[in-house]
Amino acid sequence: MGNFGQLMDGFAVALTAHHVMIMAVGVLLGLVVGVLPGLGAPNGVSLLLPLTFTMDPISAIILLTSMYWGALFGGSTTSILFNIPGEPSSVATTFDGYPLARQGQAVRALTLAFTSAGIGALTGVIVITLLSSWVANFAMRFGAAEYFAVYFMAFASFIGMAGGSPFKTLVSMMLGFAAATVGIDTISGESRLTFEIDELIGGISFLIAVIGLFGLGELLLTMEEGLKFEGVKAKLDMRTILRTVAEVPRYWVTLVRSALIGCWMGITPGGPTAASFMSYALGRRFSRRGRNFGKGEPEGIVAPETADHSAGSCALLPMLALGIPGSATAAVMMGGLMIWGLSPGPMLFSTRPDFVWGLIASMYMGNLIAVVLVLATVPLFAYILRAPFTVVGPMITIVCVIGAYTVANHVFDIWLALAFGIVGYVFKKLDYPLAPFVLAMVLGDKAEDAFRQAMLTSDGSPAIFFSNALVSTMMGLGILLLCLPLITVLFKGGLFGRPAAGDAEAHGRSA
């Protein structure tokens, strides 16, 4: 009851006209930041941070977190409408959100995304409220080996849960790892895979790759298909929105599973991006409609959006309780706390309970305001799809070019985005999945750093990855997921067992 009483005190702080107005302004700013690829929540919060120096800390953190929620929601908008993820964690939403929009159901796709995102975010805030002390103690147990085990599980889940060819998934992931290693080695300081191109010394930005793979790659495919934009049949009525909101509880199993994955990956070092990918892979594996994933399946939208937002909410808990940011945005916010004279960590809960619980209470209100605002703007966003491709195509190109240039203000990045656009086009023509490539690019360098730090700590002994129950369990699950395709083949008798019926029939005919 102690947490509940403090939460009520927090609502007394957050539920003032001044703070509610700040939440609404922050969410609207976040929507703009999330819609524009190349900015993203970390950059948006960084740009807004100087404006908070004259504000009191509670108002300042409410503004920044509200912008964070808005950016997460806004990132889903361009993912569904244009196949351009506004946020890294929105990449998985494109796999089914964009195909559903192309079928003339953009309003339904957006409503599914926003409603499930609100449920995921609310779940994450409830976890912060109820389990803050236990979560803080659990997260303290993570070292380099545990960090690598989490990333290894994310990679293995995508190979083990792949609906298509595991070989193509593995090839795509290996190419992603190669792209992630470009630049300066963080441990040895040597350049890798730069081919004496100075612009590659800083590495390849994930946002550049995403803009090219999804935005420009899809444009190339659309031009090949005859400049036809399939989403022009979107309906603009509120009945579709209300009917879709009523449809969401039908996917309660997916909601619960994805929310749990998101909370866990938000508290541990996985983060929202890994959570959305893992949730999508598990959803495709265990859903009765798994074969429809990638073709506009509603569960393929619900799963990553729920996990993304629950992880985004829970990522703030390690920052508050331990002083360890769970995401890039949380790291920027932690810098703000220090500028405001606050020290994130366990003592913050006792020295400034009004700040901590006012922030937690504002999370409930901020997410509620975000859901209402984005649902209210669904018809506006869907109206964009009624424009002909001759209008929408150049607009998407301009957004991609601006987004690519904004990342580091380098013209070279525009050409790099175009190169990734060609890669994305080739991948789709050859039916190679883009998701493993993107996942490897996002987490590849982090996984490599964690692996090498763990090996340095253990003097090169791989036994460190099985040194305690926690890391052993995660590594064991990862190995099981990695071997799952082979186990499935053996179980069905398609490798060493009896031949499948189709194979036996073909053999009889040849005889």
Side-chain angles (χ1 to χ4, degrees):
M1 290 300 293
N3 283 7
F4 180 77
Q6 290 177 312
L7 181 62
M8 291 300 101
D9 294 338
F11 274 112
V13 174
L15 286 179
T16 63
H18 175 63
H19 286 155
V20 170
M21 183 181 68
I22 288 177
M23 292 177 205
V25 171
V27 167
L28 290 173
L29 288 173
L31 283 172
V32 174
V33 167
V35 164
L36 294 175
L39 279 180
N43 291 334
V45 172
S46 299
L47 292 173
L48 196 62
L49 187 61
L51 302 180
T52 66
F53 293 161
T54 58
M55 303 170 63
D56 66 276
I58 296 177
S59 299
I61 196 67
I62 286 176
L63 178 62
L64 295 182
T65 52
S66 297
M67 185 178 186
Y68 180 36
W69 309 139
L72 290 177
F73 282 101
S76 306
T77 304
T78 50
S79 298
I80 292 172
L81 296 185
F82 303 127
N83 204 33
I84 306 173
E87 284 284 313
S89 54
S90 300
V91 171
T93 306
T94 64
F95 302 151
D96 284 277
Y98 183 65
L100 192 60
R102 288 180 63 119
Q103 296 169 18
Q105 301 186 59
V107 173
R108 184 186 179 202
L110 289 168
T111 306
L112 281 170
F114 295 152
T115 306
S116 55
I119 293 172
L122 180 62
T123 304
V125 179
I126 292 174
V127 168
I128 292 177
T129 305
L130 299 179
L131 303 178
S132 56
S133 57
W134 179 85
V135 164
N137 292 331
F138 178 75
M140 285 289 288
R141 300 171 59 185
F142 272 74
E146 287 77 10
Y147 275 53
F148 175 76
V150 170
Y151 297 134
F152 177 69
M153 281 185 61
F155 300 138
S157 67
F158 234 78
I159 295 175
M161 303 296 179
S165 167
F167 174 76
K168 288 185 176 181
T169 301
L170 184 61
V171 170
S172 178
M173 191 173 290
M174 291 298 104
L175 292 174
F177 285 136
T181 59
V182 173
I184 299 296
D185 183 0
T186 55
I187 294 180
S188 67
E190 298 180 356
S191 61
R192 302 184 297 185
L193 300 180
T194 58
F195 305 103
E196 299 184 357
I197 300 176
D198 294 340
E199 288 83 356
L200 291 177
I201 292 178
I204 299 175
S205 170
F206 165 75
L207 290 171
I208 298 294
V210 165
I211 290 169
L213 290 171
F214 292 94
L216 298 178
E218 189 64 36
L219 278 176
L220 293 174
L221 278 177
T222 305
M223 287 190 293
E224 184 186 41
E225 294 168 1
L227 302 180
K228 293 181 180 179
F229 198 65
E230 300 294 337
V232 295
K233 300 177 183 178
K235 297 180 180 179
L236 307 178
D237 59 313
M238 285 299 297
R239 286 180 298 178
T240 304
I241 297 176
L242 297 176
R243 187 165 56 246
T244 306
V245 171
E247 174 189 353
V248 171
R250 186 185 310 169
Y251 310 113
W252 67 271
V253 175
T254 302
L255 287 168
V256 172
R257 180 179 61 239
S258 302
L260 291 176
I261 292 172
C263 290
W264 180 55
M265 297 294 278
I267 295 164
T268 59
T273 304
S276 62
F277 277 108
M278 183 179 290
S279 180
Y280 184 86
L282 292 175
R284 180 173 54 187
R285 183 71 179 184
F286 293 111
S287 172
R288 289 178 296 177
R289 296 175 292 274
R291 293 182 179 180
N292 295 329
F293 273 53
K295 303 175 183 178
E297 171 59 39
E299 277 191 76
I301 301 174
V302 172
E305 283 295 306
T306 305
D308 172 14
H309 284 70
S310 59
S313 299
C314 288
L316 297 180
L317 179 56
M319 183 267 288
L320 290 172
L322 303 174
I324 303 174
S327 66
T329 308
V332 177
M333 291 184 186
M334 188 172 74
L337 262 65
M338 295 177 178
I339 293 173
W340 304 327
L342 301 175
S343 299
M347 291 301 295
L348 188 63
F349 282 80
S350 57
T351 58
R352 288 296 304 270
D354 59 328
F355 175 85
V356 173
W357 291 102
L359 168 60
I360 294 175
S362 74
M363 292 181 186
Y364 287 95
M365 294 302 302
N367 279 295
L368 179 61
I369 291 173
V371 171
V372 172
L373 286 177
V374 295
L375 286 178
T377 55
V378 163
L380 173 63
F381 288 128
Y383 186 78
I384 298 173
L385 292 179
R386 299 178 70 88
F389 182 81
T390 51
V391 175
V392 176
M395 184 170 64
I396 295 175
T397 305
I398 292 172
V399 170
C400 289
V401 170
I402 293 175
Y405 182 77
T406 304
V407 172
N409 296 330
H410 289 159
V411 176
F412 178 79
D413 288 341
I414 299 176
W415 294 106
L416 199 58
L418 179 59
F420 275 105
I422 297 173
V423 171
Y425 170 81
V426 173
F427 265 50
K428 291 180 180 179
K429 294 294 288 185
L430 298 179
D431 198 27
Y432 274 76
L434 282 174
F437 182 95
V438 174
L439 178 68
M441 271 207 73
V442 175
L443 301 180
D445 55 343
K446 297 179 181 179
E448 181 190 9
D449 289 344
F451 177 80
R452 294 172 72 176
Q453 289 171 10
M455 295 299 284
L456 287 172
T457 304
S458 64
D459 294 327
S461 172
I464 191 173
F465 299 111
F466 301 91
S467 57
N468 57 64
L470 177 61
V471 69
S472 298
T473 301
M474 291 191 291
M475 288 296 295
L477 287 173
I479 293 172
L480 179 64
L481 289 168
L482 193 63
C483 298
L484 194 58
L486 180 61
I487 295 172
T488 303
V489 171
L490 293 174
F491 181 77
K492 290 181 178 179
L495 189 60
F496 299 113
R498 292 178 299 176
D503 295 337
E505 184 179 347
H507 180 70
R509 286 197 301 267
S510 64

